[in-house]
Amino acid sequence: MKQIVKILTLLLAVTAVWIGLLQTSTIPESYTWLLPLYLIVSLGCYGLLMVGVGLMNFPTCPQEALFLQQDIIEAKEFLKKKGVDVGSD
Amino acid sequence: MAEKNKYSIIIPTYNERLNIALIVYLVFKHLSDVDFEIIVVDDGSPDGTQDIVKQLQKVYGEDRILLRPRPRKLGLGTAYIHGLKHASGNFVVIMDADLSHHPKYLPRFIKKQMETGASIVTGTRYVTGGGVHGWNLMRKLTSRGANVLAQTLLWPGVSDLTGSFRLYQKSALEDIISSCVSKGYVFQMEMIVRASRKGYHIEEVPITFVDRVFGSSKLGGSEIVEYLKGLLYLLVTT
């Protein structure tokens, strides 16, 4: 099943539940009408939260840049000895 | 470490004269007990990348470093297909030539594959032990936003979709690559999403990503539009 179909099916199922709630009035109807709005707001909050948390915990590796510099120096020395032209840039 | 397995490391290059030499040295340093070959697919670099590769062939042997050039810039996806044609290993590694991918992680990819029997091992920057260096806040924000969007819409089962440091079983790569049409890093996303949909066993290893040329990862408005188009494309085709 294509991903878009999966997502639409999920949406359809949620809509069906919502319509069910509207029909049976298990909770007051005025609340039920607001549920889609809550859904959209909570989806937005979820997105922002995930981006925020991801940004806060963004893994960085400054020490790797230093290691790489050392590796580059080592590699250049070796290659120069072997006659590979690494000096020009 | 590996007796029977052979690893073909495909590195597409364009004006990577110095970097390709450094990468080759580091690959040989870190994969001393593994059977491998390096396939350089150079797209007609004017800076003499191919001359350097020929010099490296003299040092390491023409059977270990293969130069398979193309006349001009023809795109990343076709570079892998081109390299794949000349690959003699049963596993294929793809990595960038600009040293943002460090060859020291190669043994971890290989070990992970052996432990799990996975068809694909993909490097991820977004978990503990991985990481990125040289990105400003804007770059991080875009990357995060893109990732959350893709995770929410595509449910791909991997944490780093656009990373391009990966180990593939050769047959799996051949199978997947033929159905991929995207360009740039959307191509990497398409590869891993299609692989996931086809039911290939995918494992992840943490890698670090050092952006040496600050701001070299161009991420302008057009890149974002391309990304969103790619996302939409994958939504309706996978």
PDB file of all heavy atoms in Angstrom, chain A residues 54-87:
ATOM      1  N   GLY A  54      14.971  18.116  19.184  1.00  0.00           N
ATOM      2  CA  GLY A  54      16.053  17.696  18.303  1.00  0.00           C
ATOM      3  C   GLY A  54      17.154  18.733  18.219  1.00  0.00           C
ATOM      4  O   GLY A  54      18.340  18.413  18.209  1.00  0.00           O
ATOM      5  N   LEU A  55      16.738  19.996  18.191  1.00  0.00           N
ATOM      6  CA  LEU A  55      17.701  21.088  18.097  1.00  0.00           C
ATOM      7  C   LEU A  55      18.512  21.200  19.380  1.00  0.00           C
ATOM      8  O   LEU A  55      19.727  21.405  19.353  1.00  0.00           O
ATOM      9  CB  LEU A  55      16.937  22.386  17.840  1.00  0.00           C
ATOM     10  CG  LEU A  55      17.629  23.466  17.020  1.00  0.00           C
ATOM     11  CD1 LEU A  55      18.130  22.913  15.700  1.00  0.00           C
ATOM     12  CD2 LEU A  55      16.663  24.611  16.776  1.00  0.00           C
ATOM     13  N   MET A  56      17.816  21.035  20.519  1.00  0.00           N
ATOM     14  CA  MET A  56      18.493  21.132  21.820  1.00  0.00           C
ATOM     15  C   MET A  56      19.504  20.010  21.988  1.00  0.00           C
ATOM     16  O   MET A  56      20.591  20.215  22.521  1.00  0.00           O
ATOM     17  CB  MET A  56      17.465  21.079  22.949  1.00  0.00           C
ATOM     18  CG  MET A  56      17.085  22.437  23.487  1.00  0.00           C
ATOM     19  SD  MET A  56      15.572  22.372  24.448  1.00  0.00           S
ATOM     20  CE  MET A  56      15.894  21.052  25.601  1.00  0.00           C
ATOM     21  N   ASN A  57      19.118  18.818  21.561  1.00  0.00           N
ATOM     22  CA  ASN A  57      20.006  17.657  21.730  1.00  0.00           C
ATOM     23  C   ASN A  57      20.809  17.362  20.475  1.00  0.00           C
ATOM     24  O   ASN A  57      21.257  16.249  20.295  1.00  0.00           O
ATOM     25  CB  ASN A  57      19.179  16.417  22.093  1.00  0.00           C
ATOM     26  CG  ASN A  57      18.384  16.629  23.350  1.00  0.00           C
ATOM     27  OD1 ASN A  57      18.814  17.354  24.241  1.00  0.00           O
ATOM     28  ND2 ASN A  57      17.207  16.023  23.435  1.00  0.00           N
ATOM     29  N   PHE A  58      20.938  18.358  19.602  1.00  0.00           N
ATOM     30  CA  PHE A  58      21.642  18.093  18.346  1.00  0.00           C
ATOM     31  C   PHE A  58      23.065  17.637  18.656  1.00  0.00           C
ATOM     32  O   PHE A  58      23.843  18.371  19.262  1.00  0.00           O
ATOM     33  CB  PHE A  58      21.680  19.363  17.491  1.00  0.00           C
ATOM     34  CG  PHE A  58      21.833  19.078  16.034  1.00  0.00           C
ATOM     35  CD1 PHE A  58      20.741  19.171  15.184  1.00  0.00           C
ATOM     36  CD2 PHE A  58      23.057  18.700  15.507  1.00  0.00           C
ATOM     37  CE1 PHE A  58      20.873  18.891  13.841  1.00  0.00           C
ATOM     38  CE2 PHE A  58      23.186  18.416  14.168  1.00  0.00           C
ATOM     39  CZ  PHE A  58      22.091  18.517  13.332  1.00  0.00           C
ATOM     40  N   PRO A  59      23.419  16.393  18.286  1.00  0.00           N
ATOM     41  CA  PRO A  59      24.753  15.922  18.624  1.00  0.00           C
ATOM     42  C   PRO A  59      25.825  16.624  17.793  1.00  0.00           C
ATOM     43  O   PRO A  59      25.724  16.673  16.572  1.00  0.00           O
ATOM     44  CB  PRO A  59      24.704  14.419  18.313  1.00  0.00           C
ATOM     45  CG  PRO A  59      23.493  14.193  17.508  1.00  0.00           C
ATOM     46  CD  PRO A  59      22.637  15.409  17.523  1.00  0.00           C
ATOM     47  N   THR A  60      26.794  17.184  18.480  1.00  0.00           N
ATOM     48  CA  THR A  60      27.904  17.832  17.769  1.00  0.00           C
ATOM     49  C   THR A  60      29.207  17.145  18.140  1.00  0.00           C
ATOM     50  O   THR A  60      29.283  16.423  19.130  1.00  0.00           O
ATOM     51  CB  THR A  60      28.006  19.324  18.122  1.00  0.00           C
ATOM     52  OG1 THR A  60      28.075  19.435  19.536  1.00  0.00           O
ATOM     53  CG2 THR A  60      26.822  20.104  17.609  1.00  0.00           C
ATOM     54  N   CYS A  61      30.215  17.364  17.338  1.00  0.00           N
ATOM     55  CA  CYS A  61      31.467  16.644  17.544  1.00  0.00           C
ATOM     56  C   CYS A  61      32.669  17.523  17.210  1.00  0.00           C
ATOM     57  O   CYS A  61      33.390  17.233  16.260  1.00  0.00           O
ATOM     58  CB  CYS A  61      31.484  15.374  16.700  1.00  0.00           C
ATOM     59  SG  CYS A  61      31.048  15.663  14.965  1.00  0.00           S
ATOM     60  N   PRO A  62      32.895  18.610  17.975  1.00  0.00           N
ATOM     61  CA  PRO A  62      34.025  19.501  17.675  1.00  0.00           C
ATOM     62  C   PRO A  62      35.369  18.785  17.742  1.00  0.00           C
ATOM     63  O   PRO A  62      36.286  19.116  16.993  1.00  0.00           O
ATOM     64  CB  PRO A  62      33.923  20.592  18.751  1.00  0.00           C
ATOM     65  CG  PRO A  62      32.992  20.073  19.782  1.00  0.00           C
ATOM     66  CD  PRO A  62      32.104  19.084  19.123  1.00  0.00           C
ATOM     67  N   GLN A  63      35.470  17.772  18.636  1.00  0.00           N
ATOM     68  CA  GLN A  63      36.757  17.070  18.749  1.00  0.00           C
ATOM     69  C   GLN A  63      37.100  16.320  17.473  1.00  0.00           C
ATOM     70  O   GLN A  63      38.271  16.155  17.135  1.00  0.00           O
ATOM     71  CB  GLN A  63      36.750  16.140  19.968  1.00  0.00           C
ATOM     72  CG  GLN A  63      35.937  14.855  19.858  1.00  0.00           C
ATOM     73  CD  GLN A  63      34.421  15.097  19.900  1.00  0.00           C
ATOM     74  OE1 GLN A  63      33.972  16.233  20.074  1.00  0.00           O
ATOM     75  NE2 GLN A  63      33.642  14.046  19.725  1.00  0.00           N
ATOM     76  N   GLU A  64      36.038  15.903  16.723  1.00  0.00           N
ATOM     77  CA  GLU A  64      36.288  15.159  15.483  1.00  0.00           C
ATOM     78  C   GLU A  64      37.011  16.018  14.448  1.00  0.00           C
ATOM     79  O   GLU A  64      37.804  15.520  13.664  1.00  0.00           O
ATOM     80  CB  GLU A  64      34.965  14.654  14.901  1.00  0.00           C
ATOM     81  CG  GLU A  64      34.342  13.516  15.663  1.00  0.00           C
ATOM     82  CD  GLU A  64      35.213  12.267  15.695  1.00  0.00           C
ATOM     83  OE1 GLU A  64      35.888  11.979  14.690  1.00  0.00           O
ATOM     84  OE2 GLU A  64      35.225  11.601  16.743  1.00  0.00           O
ATOM     85  N   ALA A  65      36.707  17.313  14.443  1.00  0.00           N
ATOM     86  CA  ALA A  65      37.366  18.211  13.499  1.00  0.00           C
ATOM     87  C   ALA A  65      38.866  18.267  13.788  1.00  0.00           C
ATOM     88  O   ALA A  65      39.688  18.312  12.871  1.00  0.00           O
ATOM     89  CB  ALA A  65      36.749  19.598  13.586  1.00  0.00           C
ATOM     90  N   LEU A  66      39.228  18.222  15.086  1.00  0.00           N
ATOM     91  CA  LEU A  66      40.648  18.239  15.464  1.00  0.00           C
ATOM     92  C   LEU A  66      41.332  16.939  15.050  1.00  0.00           C
ATOM     93  O   LEU A  66      42.417  16.954  14.480  1.00  0.00           O
ATOM     94  CB  LEU A  66      40.786  18.436  16.975  1.00  0.00           C
ATOM     95  CG  LEU A  66      40.276  19.775  17.513  1.00  0.00           C
ATOM     96  CD1 LEU A  66      40.281  19.779  19.028  1.00  0.00           C
ATOM     97  CD2 LEU A  66      41.114  20.917  16.955  1.00  0.00           C
ATOM     98  N   PHE A  67      40.647  15.808  15.344  1.00  0.00           N
ATOM     99  CA  PHE A  67      41.207  14.507  14.936  1.00  0.00           C
ATOM    100  C   PHE A  67      41.457  14.478  13.436  1.00  0.00           C
ATOM    101  O   PHE A  67      42.473  13.981  12.970  1.00  0.00           O
ATOM    102  CB  PHE A  67      40.254  13.365  15.306  1.00  0.00           C
ATOM    103  CG  PHE A  67      40.100  13.160  16.781  1.00  0.00           C
ATOM    104  CD1 PHE A  67      38.921  12.629  17.307  1.00  0.00           C
ATOM    105  CD2 PHE A  67      41.124  13.476  17.657  1.00  0.00           C
ATOM    106  CE1 PHE A  67      38.771  12.440  18.673  1.00  0.00           C
ATOM    107  CE2 PHE A  67      40.989  13.289  19.029  1.00  0.00           C
ATOM    108  CZ  PHE A  67      39.805  12.776  19.531  1.00  0.00           C
ATOM    109  N   LEU A  68      40.486  15.034  12.704  1.00  0.00           N
ATOM    110  CA  LEU A  68      40.591  15.008  11.247  1.00  0.00           C
ATOM    111  C   LEU A  68      41.798  15.819  10.782  1.00  0.00           C
ATOM    112  O   LEU A  68      42.525  15.391   9.886  1.00  0.00           O
ATOM    113  CB  LEU A  68      39.297  15.550  10.625  1.00  0.00           C
ATOM    114  CG  LEU A  68      39.220  15.486   9.102  1.00  0.00           C
ATOM    115  CD1 LEU A  68      39.344  14.057   8.615  1.00  0.00           C
ATOM    116  CD2 LEU A  68      37.914  16.089   8.594  1.00  0.00           C
ATOM    117  N   GLN A  69      42.017  16.967  11.434  1.00  0.00           N
ATOM    118  CA  GLN A  69      43.191  17.774  11.083  1.00  0.00           C
ATOM    119  C   GLN A  69      44.471  16.970  11.254  1.00  0.00           C
ATOM    120  O   GLN A  69      45.370  17.000  10.417  1.00  0.00           O
ATOM    121  CB  GLN A  69      43.244  19.047  11.946  1.00  0.00           C
ATOM    122  CG  GLN A  69      42.263  20.133  11.527  1.00  0.00           C
ATOM    123  CD  GLN A  69      42.248  20.382  10.025  1.00  0.00           C
ATOM    124  OE1 GLN A  69      43.300  20.503   9.395  1.00  0.00           O
ATOM    125  NE2 GLN A  69      41.061  20.413   9.425  1.00  0.00           N
ATOM    126  N   GLN A  70      44.555  16.239  12.376  1.00  0.00           N
ATOM    127  CA  GLN A  70      45.743  15.405  12.623  1.00  0.00           C
ATOM    128  C   GLN A  70      45.875  14.324  11.558  1.00  0.00           C
ATOM    129  O   GLN A  70      46.980  14.063  11.059  1.00  0.00           O
ATOM    130  CB  GLN A  70      45.657  14.757  14.012  1.00  0.00           C
ATOM    131  CG  GLN A  70      45.841  15.752  15.141  1.00  0.00           C
ATOM    132  CD  GLN A  70      45.334  15.215  16.473  1.00  0.00           C
ATOM    133  OE1 GLN A  70      44.997  14.042  16.602  1.00  0.00           O
ATOM    134  NE2 GLN A  70      45.266  16.096  17.465  1.00  0.00           N
ATOM    135  N   ASP A  71      44.744  13.701  11.205  1.00  0.00           N
ATOM    136  CA  ASP A  71      44.762  12.653  10.186  1.00  0.00           C
ATOM    137  C   ASP A  71      45.244  13.211   8.852  1.00  0.00           C
ATOM    138  O   ASP A  71      45.961  12.552   8.107  1.00  0.00           O
ATOM    139  CB  ASP A  71      43.364  12.057  10.011  1.00  0.00           C
ATOM    140  CG  ASP A  71      42.998  11.116  11.155  1.00  0.00           C
ATOM    141  OD1 ASP A  71      43.932  10.623  11.813  1.00  0.00           O
ATOM    142  OD2 ASP A  71      41.795  10.899  11.383  1.00  0.00           O
ATOM    143  N   ILE A  72      44.817  14.439   8.556  1.00  0.00           N
ATOM    144  CA  ILE A  72      45.188  15.049   7.281  1.00  0.00           C
ATOM    145  C   ILE A  72      46.694  15.292   7.228  1.00  0.00           C
ATOM    146  O   ILE A  72      47.349  14.990   6.223  1.00  0.00           O
ATOM    147  CB  ILE A  72      44.401  16.361   7.067  1.00  0.00           C
ATOM    148  CG1 ILE A  72      42.920  16.030   6.797  1.00  0.00           C
ATOM    149  CG2 ILE A  72      44.987  17.169   5.920  1.00  0.00           C
ATOM    150  CD1 ILE A  72      42.017  17.245   6.754  1.00  0.00           C
ATOM    151  N   ILE A  73      47.246  15.785   8.340  1.00  0.00           N
ATOM    152  CA  ILE A  73      48.694  16.038   8.393  1.00  0.00           C
ATOM    153  C   ILE A  73      49.457  14.732   8.194  1.00  0.00           C
ATOM    154  O   ILE A  73      50.399  14.640   7.397  1.00  0.00           O
ATOM    155  CB  ILE A  73      49.067  16.711   9.738  1.00  0.00           C
ATOM    156  CG1 ILE A  73      48.485  18.126   9.776  1.00  0.00           C
ATOM    157  CG2 ILE A  73      50.578  16.747   9.920  1.00  0.00           C
ATOM    158  CD1 ILE A  73      48.459  18.745  11.164  1.00  0.00           C
ATOM    159  N   GLU A  74      49.000  13.688   8.921  1.00  0.00           N
ATOM    160  CA  GLU A  74      49.633  12.369   8.826  1.00  0.00           C
ATOM    161  C   GLU A  74      49.569  11.833   7.390  1.00  0.00           C
ATOM    162  O   GLU A  74      50.567  11.362   6.842  1.00  0.00           O
ATOM    163  CB  GLU A  74      48.885  11.437   9.782  1.00  0.00           C
ATOM    164  CG  GLU A  74      49.390  10.011   9.825  1.00  0.00           C
ATOM    165  CD  GLU A  74      48.419   9.138  10.624  1.00  0.00           C
ATOM    166  OE1 GLU A  74      48.014   9.530  11.727  1.00  0.00           O
ATOM    167  OE2 GLU A  74      48.073   8.053  10.112  1.00  0.00           O
ATOM    168  N   ALA A  75      48.381  11.936   6.778  1.00  0.00           N
ATOM    169  CA  ALA A  75      48.191  11.427   5.423  1.00  0.00           C
ATOM    170  C   ALA A  75      49.080  12.177   4.437  1.00  0.00           C
ATOM    171  O   ALA A  75      49.718  11.570   3.571  1.00  0.00           O
ATOM    172  CB  ALA A  75      46.725  11.546   5.022  1.00  0.00           C
ATOM    173  N   LYS A  76      49.138  13.498   4.583  1.00  0.00           N
ATOM    174  CA  LYS A  76      49.940  14.305   3.656  1.00  0.00           C
ATOM    175  C   LYS A  76      51.413  13.918   3.731  1.00  0.00           C
ATOM    176  O   LYS A  76      52.078  13.795   2.710  1.00  0.00           O
ATOM    177  CB  LYS A  76      49.787  15.789   3.999  1.00  0.00           C
ATOM    178  CG  LYS A  76      48.608  16.441   3.303  1.00  0.00           C
ATOM    179  CD  LYS A  76      48.629  17.923   3.569  1.00  0.00           C
ATOM    180  CE  LYS A  76      47.614  18.652   2.731  1.00  0.00           C
ATOM    181  NZ  LYS A  76      47.511  20.069   3.116  1.00  0.00           N
ATOM    182  N   GLU A  77      51.918  13.711   4.958  1.00  0.00           N
ATOM    183  CA  GLU A  77      53.317  13.340   5.136  1.00  0.00           C
ATOM    184  C   GLU A  77      53.623  12.028   4.427  1.00  0.00           C
ATOM    185  O   GLU A  77      54.588  11.907   3.682  1.00  0.00           O
ATOM    186  CB  GLU A  77      53.627  13.187   6.629  1.00  0.00           C
ATOM    187  CG  GLU A  77      54.311  14.399   7.217  1.00  0.00           C
ATOM    188  CD  GLU A  77      54.445  14.270   8.723  1.00  0.00           C
ATOM    189  OE1 GLU A  77      54.650  13.139   9.220  1.00  0.00           O
ATOM    190  OE2 GLU A  77      54.308  15.312   9.397  1.00  0.00           O
ATOM    191  N   PHE A  78      52.730  11.047   4.662  1.00  0.00           N
ATOM    192  CA  PHE A  78      52.930   9.725   4.072  1.00  0.00           C
ATOM    193  C   PHE A  78      52.899   9.809   2.549  1.00  0.00           C
ATOM    194  O   PHE A  78      53.775   9.282   1.865  1.00  0.00           O
ATOM    195  CB  PHE A  78      51.840   8.769   4.574  1.00  0.00           C
ATOM    196  CG  PHE A  78      51.879   7.414   3.925  1.00  0.00           C
ATOM    197  CD1 PHE A  78      52.717   6.412   4.409  1.00  0.00           C
ATOM    198  CD2 PHE A  78      51.083   7.134   2.816  1.00  0.00           C
ATOM    199  CE1 PHE A  78      52.754   5.164   3.803  1.00  0.00           C
ATOM    200  CE2 PHE A  78      51.126   5.891   2.202  1.00  0.00           C
ATOM    201  CZ  PHE A  78      51.959   4.902   2.699  1.00  0.00           C
ATOM    202  N   LEU A  79      51.887  10.505   2.028  1.00  0.00           N
ATOM    203  CA  LEU A  79      51.704  10.547   0.574  1.00  0.00           C
ATOM    204  C   LEU A  79      52.839  11.307  -0.102  1.00  0.00           C
ATOM    205  O   LEU A  79      53.280  10.940  -1.185  1.00  0.00           O
ATOM    206  CB  LEU A  79      50.344  11.178   0.246  1.00  0.00           C
ATOM    207  CG  LEU A  79      49.136  10.325   0.653  1.00  0.00           C
ATOM    208  CD1 LEU A  79      47.863  11.147   0.623  1.00  0.00           C
ATOM    209  CD2 LEU A  79      48.999   9.099  -0.251  1.00  0.00           C
ATOM    210  N   LYS A  80      53.325  12.351   0.549  1.00  0.00           N
ATOM    211  CA  LYS A  80      54.446  13.120  -0.005  1.00  0.00           C
ATOM    212  C   LYS A  80      55.664  12.215  -0.183  1.00  0.00           C
ATOM    213  O   LYS A  80      56.328  12.234  -1.190  1.00  0.00           O
ATOM    214  CB  LYS A  80      54.770  14.292   0.932  1.00  0.00           C
ATOM    215  CG  LYS A  80      54.825  15.631   0.197  1.00  0.00           C
ATOM    216  CD  LYS A  80      55.090  16.758   1.178  1.00  0.00           C
ATOM    217  CE  LYS A  80      53.918  17.707   1.260  1.00  0.00           C
ATOM    218  NZ  LYS A  80      54.030  18.673   2.353  1.00  0.00           N
ATOM    219  N   LYS A  81      55.917  11.403   0.864  1.00  0.00           N
ATOM    220  CA  LYS A  81      57.051  10.473   0.817  1.00  0.00           C
ATOM    221  C   LYS A  81      56.912   9.498  -0.339  1.00  0.00           C
ATOM    222  O   LYS A  81      57.893   9.079  -0.930  1.00  0.00           O
ATOM    223  CB  LYS A  81      57.125   9.687   2.139  1.00  0.00           C
ATOM    224  CG  LYS A  81      58.091  10.304   3.151  1.00  0.00           C
ATOM    225  CD  LYS A  81      58.234   9.378   4.354  1.00  0.00           C
ATOM    226  CE  LYS A  81      58.117  10.177   5.645  1.00  0.00           C
ATOM    227  NZ  LYS A  81      57.586   9.374   6.750  1.00  0.00           N
ATOM    228  N   LYS A  82      55.678   9.114  -0.622  1.00  0.00           N
ATOM    229  CA  LYS A  82      55.428   8.136  -1.680  1.00  0.00           C
ATOM    230  C   LYS A  82      55.391   8.788  -3.061  1.00  0.00           C
ATOM    231  O   LYS A  82      55.122   8.118  -4.065  1.00  0.00           O
ATOM    232  CB  LYS A  82      54.098   7.413  -1.439  1.00  0.00           C
ATOM    233  CG  LYS A  82      54.102   6.532  -0.210  1.00  0.00           C
ATOM    234  CD  LYS A  82      54.796   5.214  -0.488  1.00  0.00           C
ATOM    235  CE  LYS A  82      54.848   4.354   0.769  1.00  0.00           C
ATOM    236  NZ  LYS A  82      55.607   3.119   0.546  1.00  0.00           N
ATOM    237  N   GLY A  83      55.562  10.077  -3.102  1.00  0.00           N
ATOM    238  CA  GLY A  83      55.611  10.756  -4.395  1.00  0.00           C
ATOM    239  C   GLY A  83      54.264  11.153  -4.956  1.00  0.00           C
ATOM    240  O   GLY A  83      54.128  11.418  -6.146  1.00  0.00           O
ATOM    241  N   VAL A  84      53.239  11.201  -4.083  1.00  0.00           N
ATOM    242  CA  VAL A  84      51.941  11.671  -4.548  1.00  0.00           C
ATOM    243  C   VAL A  84      51.877  13.182  -4.331  1.00  0.00           C
ATOM    244  O   VAL A  84      52.253  13.689  -3.279  1.00  0.00           O
ATOM    245  CB  VAL A  84      50.792  10.971  -3.781  1.00  0.00           C
ATOM    246  CG1 VAL A  84      49.441  11.495  -4.240  1.00  0.00           C
ATOM    247  CG2 VAL A  84      50.868   9.471  -3.977  1.00  0.00           C
ATOM    248  N   ASP A  85      51.418  13.881  -5.344  1.00  0.00           N
ATOM    249  CA  ASP A  85      51.445  15.340  -5.341  1.00  0.00           C
ATOM    250  C   ASP A  85      50.292  15.899  -4.509  1.00  0.00           C
ATOM    251  O   ASP A  85      49.203  16.135  -5.018  1.00  0.00           O
ATOM    252  CB  ASP A  85      51.364  15.820  -6.799  1.00  0.00           C
ATOM    253  CG  ASP A  85      51.303  17.322  -6.882  1.00  0.00           C
ATOM    254  OD1 ASP A  85      51.728  17.986  -5.922  1.00  0.00           O
ATOM    255  OD2 ASP A  85      50.837  17.821  -7.922  1.00  0.00           O
ATOM    256  N   VAL A  86      50.554  16.120  -3.212  1.00  0.00           N
ATOM    257  CA  VAL A  86      49.491  16.625  -2.347  1.00  0.00           C
ATOM    258  C   VAL A  86      49.784  18.037  -1.843  1.00  0.00           C
ATOM    259  O   VAL A  86      49.051  18.576  -1.028  1.00  0.00           O
ATOM    260  CB  VAL A  86      49.246  15.709  -1.118  1.00  0.00           C
ATOM    261  CG1 VAL A  86      48.573  14.430  -1.524  1.00  0.00           C
ATOM    262  CG2 VAL A  86      50.543  15.438  -0.381  1.00  0.00           C
ATOM    263  N   GLY A  87      50.851  18.615  -2.340  1.00  0.00           N
ATOM    264  CA  GLY A  87      51.267  19.896  -1.787  1.00  0.00           C
ATOM    265  C   GLY A  87      50.590  21.110  -2.379  1.00  0.00           C
ATOM    266  O   GLY A  87      50.522  22.163  -1.767  1.00  0.00           O
TER     267      GLY A  87
END
